[in-house]
Amino acid sequence: MKAAITGINGYVPEYILNNEELSRMVDTTDEWIMTRIGIKERRILKGVGAGTSDMAVEAIRGLLEKTNTKPEEIDLLICATVTPDMQFPATANIISDKLGIKNAFSFDMNAGCSGFLYALVTASKFIECGSNKKIIVVGADKMSSIVDYTDRATCPIFGDGAGAVLLEPTEENLGVLDSILAVDGVGRHHLHQKAGGSVKPPSHETIDAREHFIYQEGQPVFKWAVMKMADVSEEIMKRNNLGADDVAWLVPHQANMRIIDATACRMKLPKDKVMINIERFGNTTAGTLPLCLWEWEPKLKKGDNIIITAFGAGFTWGAIYLKWAYDPK
Ligand code: UT7
């Protein structure tokens, strides 16, 4: 039994924060951001009380409609996120309640920017062992809730968004065929949120010290990301005997255009086989991979070999070899 993606949908908020507006907030320019990162604009979720679950709900509602699936048919929902609605309960539980998903269990997965990748692999195991039949995996992040808009080194990078897939069993040789997941916790020193957890609970001091925002040392993160995303993508191709000609699409995490280029280059893939929307959405953390698949869905054909790869906080990284399961509808 294999786990096939049988539907995909995405959601991005309406508000567009472009580089011009950002350059009025911090000392930066469109030219610097485009050259160093490759982002022109990102979406921001506005509105009091609007959180990650609201974007996930929009993505999943459309997914259920597209796939003619009733909420009660879903038997597992996994939400990958680093910006949960609240510390507990899990955002996945909140999403299930808002959508009337009553016959499922649900939980969150925190693997930084590799969250969707980790969640998709986890979900595929529940299908492969026969215990679940209709699983939703959603990657959703409201990064604007933890971005410091006075820090020019991090604020251009991130945006808000969500993407969701429906996963179902198939007896054909389709869906998630292989995966590699990896972690090195030493990376936590370079990318984390200093306060708000059990080590440093929120206090007036932590707020004054701006410790509830993303802390990132860009250069080490960049070096690790380039190395690990390229390594793991090459490894998964090799062990599945895939050459560049066999791969229809690369779906890379959208953190930096230069990291995407380096990965594609190592895989010897031309740019027209690489899904790239970083210019319009930025880094939506757990949202990047499903948002790419959603935008490219009309071009995907049954049997297409797809490599999905990501790198993120932890450090976490990995790759999936996926065979697309349906033709454009
Ligand atoms: O998805 C989660 C994983 N995260 C990532 O993958 C991010 C990985 N890292 C990166 O993408 C890059 O390191 C950044 C985009 C964060 C930074 O790019 P960089 O080429 O590594 O720049 P840098 O940090 O070395 O800074 C170069 C210069 C510095 O000025 P000086 O010291 O050379 O005078 C910075 O102060 O650029 C300056 N700088 C900026 N200038 C204009 C930093 N941010 C900005 C800015 N606008 N927004």
Side-chain angles (χ1 to χ4, degrees):
M1 196 77 84
K2 299 274 192 285
I5 292 177
T6 54
I8 177 132
N9 198 46
Y11 173 81
V12 287
E14 271 174 33
Y15 190 86
I16 297 174
L17 173 58
N18 62 25
N19 290 348
E20 278 67 43
E21 185 177 351
L22 211 56
S23 62
R24 292 194 295 273
M25 296 158 71
V26 289
D27 182 15
T28 191
T29 60
D30 175 62
E31 203 232 328
W32 192 95
I33 300 171
M34 281 306 288
T35 316
R36 299 285 182 127
I37 319 176
I39 299 172
K40 200 89 192 151
E41 56 192 42
R42 62 293 289 147
R43 300 300 179 101
I44 304 294
L45 182 64
K46 298 271 187 183
V48 179
T52 294
S53 71
D54 297 298
M55 294 187 293
V57 161
E58 289 303 320
I60 297 169
R61 204 193 307 278
L63 175 65
L64 294 173
E65 266 172 36
K66 269 173 90 170
T67 56
N68 264 325
T69 309
K70 294 191 188 68
E72 310 86 63
E73 292 177 72
I74 302 302
D75 53 17
L76 168 59
L77 186 146
I78 308 178
C79 175
T81 188
V82 297
T83 50
D85 280 15
M86 50 189 73
Q87 284 265 22
F88 72 90
T91 300
N93 309 156
I94 299 169
I95 296 166
S96 294
D97 179 50
K98 287 183 176 176
L99 284 164
I101 294 176
K102 293 183 185 315
N103 298 318
F105 69 104
S106 60
F107 59 89
D108 285 0
M109 184 156 281
N110 179 341
C113 295
S114 309
F116 182 81
L117 192 97
Y118 269 53
L120 188 56
V121 173
T122 305
S124 71
K125 305 298 175 195
F126 280 96
I127 298 266
E128 285 164 18
C129 75
S131 70
N132 293 76
K133 299 259 179 296
K134 283 188 192 285
I135 305 181
I136 286 177
V137 179
V138 59
D141 270 300
K142 184 185 171 185
M143 296 306 290
S144 61
S145 65
I146 55 167
V147 164
D148 183 349
Y149 287 99
T150 66
D151 175 11
R152 70 175 183 169
T154 55
C155 72
I157 299 173
F158 297 99
D160 302 340
V165 296
L166 179 65
L167 216 58
E168 293 181 273
T170 175
E171 283 172 10
E172 290 183 83
N173 190 39
L174 296 167
V176 178
L177 299 187
D178 192 18
S179 61
I180 303 171
L181 300 181
V183 68
D184 190 336
V186 78
R188 72 189 186 281
H189 300 296
H190 305 298
L191 181 52
H192 57 257
Q193 192 175 6
K194 291 196 180 298
S198 57
V199 169
K200 221 183 218 196
S203 66
H204 291 293
E205 288 72 28
T206 61
I207 288 171
D208 290 345
R210 310 186 79 76
E211 290 181 335
H212 295 269
F213 294 122
I214 298 164
Y215 172 84
Q216 175 170 267
E217 293 161 12
Q219 287 192 3
V221 179
F222 182 87
K223 282 182 195 151
W224 272 74
V226 165
M227 185 172 63
K228 294 301 182 187
M229 262 175 57
D231 282 355
V232 81
S233 305
E234 198 180 31
E235 189 185 340
I236 205 156
M237 281 174 73
K238 269 194 185 146
R239 77 184 199 186
N240 289 284
N241 295 316
L242 296 170
D245 289 345
D246 304 313
V247 175
W249 297 102
L250 168 67
V251 192
H253 172 51
Q254 313 280 307
N256 187 312
M257 200 49 231
R258 291 181 289 148
I259 301 174
I260 296 172
D261 283 344
T263 307
C265 179
R266 177 85 82 80
M267 295 168 74
K268 301 190 175 56
L269 287 184
K271 213 148 186 189
D272 60 0
K273 285 187 171 187
V274 186
M275 296 187 192
I276 301 167
N277 58 17
I278 187 173
E279 192 170 321
R280 287 175 295 119
F281 297 153
N283 182 351
T284 54
T285 301
T288 61
L289 301 174
L291 283 174
C292 280
L293 286 169
W294 168 55
E295 288 209 305
W296 265 259
E297 188 194 24
K299 292 186 186 169
L300 302 180
K301 294 191 292 296
K302 185 173 179 179
D304 276 354
N305 288 322
I306 298 177
I307 304 291
I308 308 177
T309 184
F311 179 91
F315 292 138
T316 55
W317 66 95
I320 290 176
Y321 167 32
L322 178 93
K323 226 182 226 304
W324 196 249
Y326 59 95
D327 286 319
K329 286 168 186 162

